[in-house]
Amino acid sequence: MPTERRSLIMLFGANGDLAVRKLYPAMFKLYEKGNIRDHFAVIGSSRYKVDDAKYRELVIKSVSKESSNKKKITDFASHFYFVTHDVTDLAHYSALKDKADELDKKYQLGGNRVFYISMAPNFFGTVAKNIKNQGLLSTSGGFNRLVIEKPFGRDFESAKELNDELSNAFEENQIFRIDHYLGKEMIQNIEAIRFGNTIFEALWNNRYIDNVQVTLAEKLGVEERAGYYDNSGALRDMVQNHIMQIVSLLAMEQPVAFKDTDIRAEKVKALRSLRVYNVAEASTNFVRGQYGAVGENRAYRDEDGVPKDSNTETFVAGKLLFDNYRWSGTPFYIRTGKKLADKFTRVDVVFKKPLVDIFSFPQSGKALLNANVLTIFIEPTQGFSLLVNAKNSEQGFHTEPVNLEFLEDSKRTRETPQPYERLIHDVLKGDGTNFASWPEVASAWKFVDQIRRVWDIQQPMFPNYIPGSMGPVSADELLARDHREWIYKLNQ
Ligand code: NAP
């Protein structure tokens, strides 16, 4: 049986989309596995006027497809309590405090408290402040941990303001900033692949790696998130957080030990050596796109809730350069976008070709060997492949690229814990490895802000790519200029 994690989880935004679609199913999985058992309780809160029984119905409905064991589900839901609460009304906090103290005793929670703010970001600071000022923090020796959803600010200034507010109530090691990409199995596997294998880590530098490519492709458009998305755009929505986190895991030095403080320290160091671009560099090294219409697919500007003259980017591609000994001269290319050819996330690590190609025929004048490519498939396929050159078995001596491949089978992929299950478990354990620390968030914003500044003064030529493609032509040109190309191309 796994270690039982005793805690009260105080969930703000308990009837919201995230709570219902992701958080309750994730908590149920932890309950099924025994990570949370008898000694846990959840206080859900929002302005919703419901009693515990109605709230439990919502929880049961939300987890019903996770199991056919009705008793298990009912037992799980019996740990859930509801307090109607407006986070902006100070008088409401005393009911939460009383309920927390009562449940602490009833379930013997040892004073451990997780405050999970699953609400619009403008409430993050207010709730954190009130948790402290209204006496909700546990003082009986247990832990106090704050979980914050994304987005964490919309630029460095607003992120710093938010962070200052949070820091008045919680220490940095008590704050868990969710980036659900960090909960994904294969993102966590990047560390295993890099630091568990001599053959990769020995070559993991600018002497042997020509370039690194990170692609986060989405097939869908903005759907019903237009209001949020149009204010954000792909740069803020995907690059500042998920992509920068992935890049920092790929670029960091080996941590002293596999523990959160050491890993975070190395990620921060890597991000601090990322070159922050001046205006000219930002214009050259980043391109943006917005999808137009094709067939039955509407253009972004025709989506419900999007202004007809919106210049919000739905696609970004860029070149990142690290000014450090390991990576100087090896670019990291990144791209992400909506309405692309398919939904997938992958990393391609492109090694340099052998300096001498003894297999090429002098008369052909061209090198025949391919670059070795390590591809890390993050989702939906999980696994990795390594492209190597080998002799083919035909007459004569000809080399051909072959793939050494490990792909998780679909059963294991289905059984793999989902990001929120891992992340909630990490919070209960107090392990901050897979959360974004403030210095990481700050460095990422400083980098992204420079691109944004340039884009805000330059008029884009939108729309510039069609749904079902891999983005605008300029994304291919970005690499072509460096005599390179994306490893993942359409129809592969
Ligand atoms: P949502 O569906 O709009 O839910 C917001 C919640 O806040 C509701 O429970 C709402 O309940 C409550 N609320 C609003 N005003 C309140 C107030 N004054 N006092 C108390 N409660 C209040 O939002 P969501 O989609 O769940 O997103 C929550 C957070 O997760 C956001 O930061 C979002 O960016 C992030 N996130 C969401 C997703 C997702 O898939 N949904 C994915 C990634 C990140 P009442 O109206 O009953 O008060």
Side-chain angles (χ1 to χ4, degrees):
M1 212 42 175
T3 308
E4 184 185 16
R5 306 286 167 190
R6 286 175 191 240
S7 186
L8 172 75
I9 301 175
M10 196 176 279
L11 178 59
F12 297 88
N15 57 337
D17 178 65
L18 184 74
V20 173
R21 274 193 319 112
K22 303 276 185 193
L23 305 185
Y24 300 139
M27 288 180 202
F28 179 71
K29 285 283 168 205
L30 292 174
Y31 185 70
E32 250 187 334
K33 290 177 184 167
N35 299 109
I36 48 176
R37 300 202 279 271
D38 303 327
H39 304 96
F40 92 96
V42 176
I43 303 178
S45 75
S46 84
R47 295 164 303 176
Y48 196 31
K49 292 195 168 54
V50 282
D51 58 11
D52 292 343
K54 270 265 174 266
Y55 177 45
R56 287 172 192 171
E57 276 174 29
L58 175 94
V59 172
I60 289 170
K61 192 163 163 229
S62 137
V63 306
S64 57
K65 56 181 183 314
E66 305 297 328
S67 166
S68 53
N69 186 340
K70 289 215 164 61
K71 178 165 178 338
K72 191 99 191 164
I73 291 180
T74 322
D75 288 348
F76 169 72
S78 73
H79 291 255
F80 285 69
Y81 299 80
F82 199 84
V83 174
T84 300
H85 170 87
D86 184 334
V87 295
T88 59
D89 189 335
L90 290 186
H92 285 189
Y93 284 82
S94 64
L96 278 182
K97 179 177 164 31
D98 293 345
K99 186 54 98 183
D101 292 342
E102 175 197 324
L103 295 180
D104 193 21
K105 283 201 196 79
K106 177 168 175 176
Y107 291 97
Q108 298 158 39
L109 304 176
N112 294 333
R113 288 186 185 172
V114 171
F115 302 93
Y116 197 128
I117 313 183
S118 177
M119 299 179 65
N122 54 309
F123 291 117
F124 294 168
T126 312
V127 180
K129 182 174 78 189
N130 292 340
I131 286 171
K132 180 175 185 208
N133 294 349
Q134 303 308 311
L136 267 63
L137 293 176
S138 159
T139 49
S140 58
F143 59 69
N144 289 295
R145 294 177 187 149
L146 178 73
V147 185
I148 294 288
E149 269 298 331
K150 79 164 209 182
F152 200 89
R154 57 176 283 108
D155 52 22
F156 173 72
E157 282 311 316
S158 57
K160 182 169 183 321
E161 213 172 284
L162 170 59
N163 201 59
D164 289 346
E165 283 184 285
L166 301 186
S167 311
N168 284 332
F170 291 87
E171 302 289 328
E172 174 63 22
N173 65 5
Q174 296 177 309
I175 304 173
F176 293 75
R177 297 176 193 80
I178 295 261
D179 183 329
H180 69 275
Y181 262 78
L182 295 179
K184 290 182 194 283
E185 170 75 5
M186 286 306 295
I187 295 286
Q188 300 192 356
N189 221 331
I190 290 174
E191 288 141 310
I193 291 171
R194 280 195 59 187
F195 303 117
N197 297 290
T198 318
I199 58 164
F200 294 130
E201 192 47 22
L203 307 180
W204 209 263
N205 57 53
N206 52 6
R207 256 185 94 190
Y208 298 104
I209 293 181
D210 180 75
N211 72 93
V212 179
Q213 304 180 9
V214 178
T215 305
L216 273 70
E218 294 179 277
K219 204 170 179 172
L220 294 177
V222 277
E223 311 306 302
E224 54 294 323
R225 288 176 72 226
Y228 160 74
Y229 193 84
D230 198 60
N231 259 314
S232 160
L235 188 66
R236 288 192 175 105
D237 191 45
M238 300 296 282
V239 178
Q240 184 276 333
N241 38 47
H242 312 317
I243 289 189
M244 295 300 255
Q245 284 291 330
I246 296 173
V247 166
S248 64
L249 286 168
L250 292 164
M252 72 183 184
E253 296 297 313
Q254 178 164 324
V256 176
F258 191 63
K259 66 175 205 264
D260 53 2
T261 42
D262 291 336
I263 294 170
R264 282 173 162 196
E266 294 306 336
K267 281 164 72 190
V268 171
K269 250 168 61 192
L271 286 171
R272 285 182 53 204
S273 55
L274 181 64
R275 188 181 306 171
V276 176
Y277 290 142
N278 61 29
V279 173
E281 289 169 327
S283 314
T284 314
N285 292 329
F286 267 75
V287 301
R288 55 183 156 163
Q290 187 190 81
Y291 61 84
V294 69
E296 292 182 351
N297 283 290
R298 284 189 287 183
Y300 174 72
R301 289 174 179 175
D302 293 329
E303 301 275 17
D304 296 335
V306 175
K308 292 280 177 236
D309 58 351
S310 171
N311 277 335
T312 298
E313 77 285 355
T314 59
F315 178 94
V316 179
K319 173 162 113 177
L320 279 59
L321 297 169
F322 288 93
D323 290 320
N324 61 24
Y325 201 74
R326 187 186 280 261
W327 293 118
S328 178
T330 293
F332 283 57
Y333 298 103
I334 56 119
R335 62 180 166 170
T336 181
K338 292 198 176 289
K339 285 273 169 134
L340 297 184
D342 212 342
K343 177 178 169 52
F344 65 89
T345 301
R346 62 186 270 165
V347 174
D348 295 292
V349 180
V350 186
F351 290 86
K352 290 187 174 170
K353 288 187 179 179
L355 291 177
V356 178
D357 181 352
I358 62 165
F359 306 112
S360 72
F361 300 103
Q363 63 273 30
S364 80
K366 64 172 185 177
L368 297 180
L369 293 176
N370 286 271
N372 300 126
V373 179
L374 170 69
T375 299
I376 305 174
F377 299 100
I378 291 169
E379 66 177 358
T381 305
Q382 294 181 9
F384 48 92
S385 69
L386 181 63
L387 190 83
V388 297
N389 294 296
K391 179 188 172 305
N392 75 14
S393 53
E394 288 163 16
Q395 186 66 279
F397 196 100
H398 300 287
T399 58
E400 63 180 5
V402 292
N403 241 341
L404 310 179
E405 196 168 70
F406 165 75
L407 301 180
E408 283 287 7
D409 66 42
S410 52
K411 182 170 174 290
R412 278 210 22 199
T413 304
R414 267 198 313 279
E415 287 166 0
T416 305
Q418 292 302 300
Y420 276 99
E421 179 187 336
R422 282 175 201 279
L423 295 176
I424 294 173
H425 187 233
D426 285 351
V427 172
L428 294 170
K429 266 193 340 191
D431 180 348
T433 306
N434 300 308
F435 297 84
S437 67
W438 168 242
E440 293 166 53
V441 174
S443 298
W445 272 127
K446 284 180 187 165
F447 177 81
V448 158
D449 281 354
Q450 281 298 96
I451 318 294
R452 190 72 263 167
R453 256 177 223 132
V454 174
W455 284 358
D456 283 347
I457 50 171
Q458 289 174 355
Q459 189 75 8
M461 300 284 281
F462 284 167
N464 62 353
Y465 72 96
I466 54 166
S469 67
M470 279 307 289
V473 179
S474 51
D476 295 330
E477 290 168 350
L478 182 74
L479 273 71
R481 259 198 339 249
D482 297 343
H483 309 290
R484 296 187 174 102
E485 55 182 22
W486 294 102
I487 295 295
Y488 176 88
K489 295 180 219 54
L490 215 50
N491 305 325
Q492 272 187 330

Short mmCIF file of all heavy atoms in Angstrom, two decimals, residues 13-19 21-22 45-48 85-88 117-121 123-124 149-151 180 420, ligand 1:
data_model
loop_
_atom_site.label_atom_id
_atom_site.label_comp_id
_atom_site.label_asym_id
_atom_site.label_seq_id
_atom_site.Cartn_x
_atom_site.Cartn_y
_atom_site.Cartn_z
N GLY A 13 -13.21 27.52 -6.11
CA GLY A 13 -13.64 27.32 -7.51
C GLY A 13 -14.11 25.89 -7.71
O GLY A 13 -13.88 25.27 -8.74
N ALA A 14 -14.83 25.36 -6.68
CA ALA A 14 -15.13 23.93 -6.62
C ALA A 14 -16.16 23.46 -7.63
O ALA A 14 -16.28 22.25 -7.85
CB ALA A 14 -15.60 23.57 -5.21
N ASN A 15 -16.92 24.37 -8.22
CA ASN A 15 -17.87 23.93 -9.25
C ASN A 15 -17.42 24.41 -10.63
O ASN A 15 -18.20 24.40 -11.58
CB ASN A 15 -19.28 24.45 -8.95
CG ASN A 15 -19.31 25.95 -8.84
OD1 ASN A 15 -18.30 26.57 -8.55
ND2 ASN A 15 -20.47 26.57 -9.07
N GLY A 16 -16.15 24.80 -10.74
CA GLY A 16 -15.62 25.29 -12.02
C GLY A 16 -15.28 24.14 -12.95
O GLY A 16 -15.25 22.96 -12.55
N ASP A 17 -14.97 24.50 -14.18
CA ASP A 17 -14.69 23.52 -15.22
C ASP A 17 -13.48 22.64 -14.87
O ASP A 17 -13.51 21.42 -15.00
CB ASP A 17 -14.43 24.29 -16.53
CG ASP A 17 -14.08 23.37 -17.66
OD1 ASP A 17 -14.95 22.58 -18.04
OD2 ASP A 17 -12.93 23.43 -18.15
N LEU A 18 -12.41 23.27 -14.41
CA LEU A 18 -11.20 22.50 -14.10
C LEU A 18 -11.43 21.51 -12.97
O LEU A 18 -11.03 20.34 -13.06
CB LEU A 18 -10.06 23.46 -13.72
CG LEU A 18 -8.73 22.75 -13.49
CD1 LEU A 18 -8.11 22.30 -14.80
CD2 LEU A 18 -7.75 23.62 -12.72
N ALA A 19 -12.09 21.98 -11.92
CA ALA A 19 -12.35 21.10 -10.76
C ALA A 19 -13.15 19.88 -11.21
O ALA A 19 -12.79 18.73 -10.91
CB ALA A 19 -13.10 21.88 -9.68
N ARG A 21 -13.77 18.67 -14.34
CA ARG A 21 -13.24 17.81 -15.42
C ARG A 21 -11.95 17.11 -15.03
O ARG A 21 -11.68 16.00 -15.48
CB ARG A 21 -13.02 18.63 -16.68
CG ARG A 21 -14.25 18.75 -17.56
CD ARG A 21 -13.96 19.28 -18.94
NE ARG A 21 -13.01 20.36 -18.96
CZ ARG A 21 -11.78 20.26 -19.47
NH1 ARG A 21 -11.37 19.15 -20.00
NH2 ARG A 21 -10.98 21.31 -19.47
N LYS A 22 -11.12 17.80 -14.22
CA LYS A 22 -9.78 17.25 -13.97
C LYS A 22 -9.48 16.93 -12.51
O LYS A 22 -8.88 15.90 -12.21
CB LYS A 22 -8.71 18.26 -14.46
CG LYS A 22 -8.81 18.65 -15.91
CD LYS A 22 -8.14 17.65 -16.78
CE LYS A 22 -8.13 18.11 -18.23
NZ LYS A 22 -7.77 17.07 -19.15
N SER A 45 -15.44 25.28 -2.29
CA SER A 45 -16.13 26.55 -2.06
C SER A 45 -16.29 27.33 -3.36
O SER A 45 -15.49 27.17 -4.29
CB SER A 45 -15.38 27.39 -1.02
OG SER A 45 -14.23 27.94 -1.61
N SER A 46 -17.34 28.10 -3.39
CA SER A 46 -17.60 29.08 -4.46
C SER A 46 -18.87 29.81 -4.02
O SER A 46 -19.39 29.54 -2.93
CB SER A 46 -17.80 28.40 -5.82
OG SER A 46 -19.13 27.97 -5.97
N ARG A 47 -19.38 30.69 -4.89
CA ARG A 47 -20.60 31.41 -4.50
C ARG A 47 -21.86 30.54 -4.66
O ARG A 47 -22.94 30.93 -4.29
CB ARG A 47 -20.74 32.69 -5.34
CG ARG A 47 -19.64 33.69 -5.06
CD ARG A 47 -19.58 34.74 -6.15
NE ARG A 47 -19.38 34.11 -7.44
CZ ARG A 47 -19.37 34.74 -8.60
NH1 ARG A 47 -19.53 36.04 -8.64
NH2 ARG A 47 -19.19 34.10 -9.73
N TYR A 48 -21.66 29.36 -5.23
CA TYR A 48 -22.73 28.40 -5.48
C TYR A 48 -23.45 28.08 -4.15
O TYR A 48 -22.78 27.85 -3.14
CB TYR A 48 -22.03 27.15 -5.98
CG TYR A 48 -22.81 26.09 -6.67
CD1 TYR A 48 -23.93 26.37 -7.43
CD2 TYR A 48 -22.37 24.76 -6.61
CE1 TYR A 48 -24.60 25.34 -8.08
CE2 TYR A 48 -23.02 23.74 -7.26
CZ TYR A 48 -24.14 24.03 -7.99
OH TYR A 48 -24.78 23.02 -8.63
N HIS A 85 -19.20 30.60 -0.49
CA HIS A 85 -18.16 31.55 -0.09
C HIS A 85 -17.83 32.46 -1.27
O HIS A 85 -17.55 31.99 -2.36
CB HIS A 85 -16.92 30.71 0.30
CG HIS A 85 -15.68 31.48 0.52
ND1 HIS A 85 -15.36 32.05 1.73
CD2 HIS A 85 -14.65 31.79 -0.30
CE1 HIS A 85 -14.21 32.65 1.64
NE2 HIS A 85 -13.76 32.50 0.42
N ASP A 86 -17.87 33.76 -1.00
CA ASP A 86 -17.39 34.71 -2.01
C ASP A 86 -16.00 35.15 -1.56
O ASP A 86 -15.85 35.71 -0.47
CB ASP A 86 -18.34 35.92 -2.08
CG ASP A 86 -17.94 36.89 -3.18
OD1 ASP A 86 -16.74 36.91 -3.54
OD2 ASP A 86 -18.83 37.60 -3.69
N VAL A 87 -15.01 34.89 -2.38
CA VAL A 87 -13.62 35.15 -1.95
C VAL A 87 -13.34 36.62 -1.66
O VAL A 87 -12.37 36.95 -0.99
CB VAL A 87 -12.58 34.61 -2.96
CG1 VAL A 87 -12.63 33.11 -3.07
CG2 VAL A 87 -12.71 35.28 -4.31
N THR A 88 -14.20 37.50 -2.18
CA THR A 88 -13.96 38.93 -1.96
C THR A 88 -14.63 39.43 -0.67
O THR A 88 -14.46 40.58 -0.29
CB THR A 88 -14.50 39.76 -3.15
OG1 THR A 88 -15.90 39.49 -3.26
CG2 THR A 88 -13.80 39.41 -4.45
N ILE A 117 -6.25 27.10 -5.54
CA ILE A 117 -7.07 28.17 -6.13
C ILE A 117 -7.32 27.87 -7.60
O ILE A 117 -6.48 28.12 -8.46
CB ILE A 117 -6.40 29.55 -5.98
CG1 ILE A 117 -5.89 29.73 -4.54
CG2 ILE A 117 -7.38 30.67 -6.36
CD1 ILE A 117 -5.27 31.09 -4.28
N SER A 118 -8.50 27.31 -7.86
CA SER A 118 -8.87 26.96 -9.23
C SER A 118 -9.90 27.98 -9.71
O SER A 118 -11.07 27.66 -9.93
CB SER A 118 -9.44 25.54 -9.24
OG SER A 118 -9.85 25.21 -10.54
N MET A 119 -9.43 29.20 -9.81
CA MET A 119 -10.32 30.33 -10.16
C MET A 119 -9.60 31.22 -11.17
O MET A 119 -8.42 31.06 -11.42
CB MET A 119 -10.59 31.19 -8.92
CG MET A 119 -11.28 30.45 -7.81
SD MET A 119 -11.51 31.55 -6.42
CE MET A 119 -12.63 32.76 -7.09
N ALA A 120 -10.32 32.21 -11.68
CA ALA A 120 -9.70 33.16 -12.60
C ALA A 120 -8.49 33.81 -11.91
O ALA A 120 -8.53 34.07 -10.71
CB ALA A 120 -10.72 34.21 -13.01
N PRO A 121 -7.43 34.06 -12.68
CA PRO A 121 -6.16 34.53 -12.10
C PRO A 121 -6.27 35.85 -11.32
O PRO A 121 -5.46 36.07 -10.42
CB PRO A 121 -5.24 34.71 -13.30
CG PRO A 121 -5.97 34.21 -14.47
CD PRO A 121 -7.34 33.80 -14.11
N PHE A 123 -8.09 36.51 -9.07
CA PHE A 123 -8.40 36.22 -7.66
C PHE A 123 -7.21 35.64 -6.89
O PHE A 123 -7.28 35.54 -5.67
CB PHE A 123 -9.56 35.21 -7.58
CG PHE A 123 -10.89 35.77 -8.00
CD1 PHE A 123 -11.56 35.26 -9.10
CD2 PHE A 123 -11.49 36.80 -7.28
CE1 PHE A 123 -12.79 35.76 -9.49
CE2 PHE A 123 -12.73 37.31 -7.66
CZ PHE A 123 -13.38 36.79 -8.77
N PHE A 124 -6.16 35.21 -7.59
CA PHE A 124 -5.08 34.48 -6.92
C PHE A 124 -4.53 35.26 -5.71
O PHE A 124 -4.40 34.73 -4.61
CB PHE A 124 -3.91 34.19 -7.88
CG PHE A 124 -4.21 33.24 -9.01
CD1 PHE A 124 -3.33 33.10 -10.07
CD2 PHE A 124 -5.37 32.46 -9.03
CE1 PHE A 124 -3.57 32.22 -11.12
CE2 PHE A 124 -5.64 31.59 -10.07
CZ PHE A 124 -4.74 31.47 -11.12
N GLU A 149 -3.15 27.97 -10.23
CA GLU A 149 -3.32 27.55 -11.62
C GLU A 149 -2.65 28.57 -12.55
O GLU A 149 -2.19 29.61 -12.13
CB GLU A 149 -4.82 27.44 -11.93
CG GLU A 149 -5.37 26.05 -11.67
CD GLU A 149 -4.71 24.99 -12.55
OE1 GLU A 149 -4.28 25.31 -13.66
OE2 GLU A 149 -4.63 23.83 -12.11
N LYS A 150 -2.62 28.23 -13.82
CA LYS A 150 -2.07 29.20 -14.77
C LYS A 150 -3.20 30.10 -15.27
O LYS A 150 -4.37 29.71 -15.13
CB LYS A 150 -1.38 28.47 -15.91
CG LYS A 150 -2.34 27.90 -16.98
CD LYS A 150 -1.61 27.55 -18.25
CE LYS A 150 -2.54 27.68 -19.43
NZ LYS A 150 -2.00 27.33 -20.71
N PRO A 151 -2.98 31.26 -15.81
CA PRO A 151 -1.66 31.85 -16.10
C PRO A 151 -1.11 32.63 -14.91
O PRO A 151 -1.87 33.19 -14.13
CB PRO A 151 -1.99 32.80 -17.26
CG PRO A 151 -3.40 33.23 -17.02
CD PRO A 151 -4.08 32.07 -16.38
N HIS A 180 0.69 22.09 -16.16
CA HIS A 180 0.31 20.67 -16.26
C HIS A 180 1.19 19.89 -17.23
O HIS A 180 1.24 18.67 -17.18
CB HIS A 180 -1.19 20.50 -16.60
CG HIS A 180 -1.54 20.94 -17.98
ND1 HIS A 180 -1.83 22.25 -18.29
CD2 HIS A 180 -1.64 20.25 -19.13
CE1 HIS A 180 -2.09 22.33 -19.58
NE2 HIS A 180 -1.99 21.14 -20.12
N TYR A 420 -2.75 15.78 -13.64
CA TYR A 420 -3.25 16.33 -12.38
C TYR A 420 -3.14 15.32 -11.23
O TYR A 420 -2.97 15.72 -10.08
CB TYR A 420 -4.69 16.85 -12.54
CG TYR A 420 -4.69 18.26 -13.08
CD1 TYR A 420 -4.91 18.52 -14.43
CD2 TYR A 420 -4.41 19.34 -12.25
CE1 TYR A 420 -4.88 19.81 -14.92
CE2 TYR A 420 -4.37 20.64 -12.73
CZ TYR A 420 -4.61 20.87 -14.07
OH TYR A 420 -4.56 22.15 -14.55
P1 NAP B 1 -14.37 28.46 -14.27
O1 NAP B 1 -15.03 27.28 -14.86
O2 NAP B 1 -14.75 29.81 -14.74
O3 NAP B 1 -14.56 28.39 -12.69
C1 NAP B 1 -14.33 29.47 -11.86
C2 NAP B 1 -14.75 29.13 -10.46
O4 NAP B 1 -14.57 30.28 -9.63
C3 NAP B 1 -16.19 28.71 -10.31
O5 NAP B 1 -16.26 27.65 -9.39
C4 NAP B 1 -16.87 29.94 -9.74
O6 NAP B 1 -17.99 29.56 -9.02
C5 NAP B 1 -15.76 30.48 -8.85
N1 NAP B 1 -15.88 31.89 -8.55
C6 NAP B 1 -15.96 32.93 -9.42
N2 NAP B 1 -16.05 34.09 -8.73
C7 NAP B 1 -16.01 33.78 -7.41
C8 NAP B 1 -16.03 34.54 -6.23
N3 NAP B 1 -16.11 35.88 -6.23
N4 NAP B 1 -15.95 33.89 -5.05
C9 NAP B 1 -15.87 32.55 -5.00
N5 NAP B 1 -15.84 31.77 -6.09
C10 NAP B 1 -15.91 32.38 -7.29
O7 NAP B 1 -12.79 28.37 -14.43
P2 NAP B 1 -11.92 27.07 -14.75
O8 NAP B 1 -11.96 26.79 -16.20
O9 NAP B 1 -12.28 25.98 -13.81
O10 NAP B 1 -10.45 27.60 -14.44
C11 NAP B 1 -9.97 27.76 -13.14
C12 NAP B 1 -8.48 28.08 -13.20
O11 NAP B 1 -7.79 26.99 -13.81
C13 NAP B 1 -8.15 29.32 -14.05
O12 NAP B 1 -7.03 29.96 -13.50
C14 NAP B 1 -7.76 28.73 -15.40
O13 NAP B 1 -6.91 29.58 -16.13
C15 NAP B 1 -7.07 27.46 -14.94
N6 NAP B 1 -7.05 26.39 -15.95
C16 NAP B 1 -8.23 25.85 -16.38
C17 NAP B 1 -8.21 24.82 -17.30
C18 NAP B 1 -9.48 24.16 -17.77
O14 NAP B 1 -9.39 23.18 -18.52
N7 NAP B 1 -10.64 24.62 -17.36
C19 NAP B 1 -6.98 24.35 -17.80
C20 NAP B 1 -5.79 24.91 -17.34
C21 NAP B 1 -5.84 25.94 -16.40
P3 NAP B 1 -19.25 30.52 -8.70
O15 NAP B 1 -19.58 31.24 -9.95
O16 NAP B 1 -20.30 29.55 -8.21
O17 NAP B 1 -18.78 31.43 -7.61
#
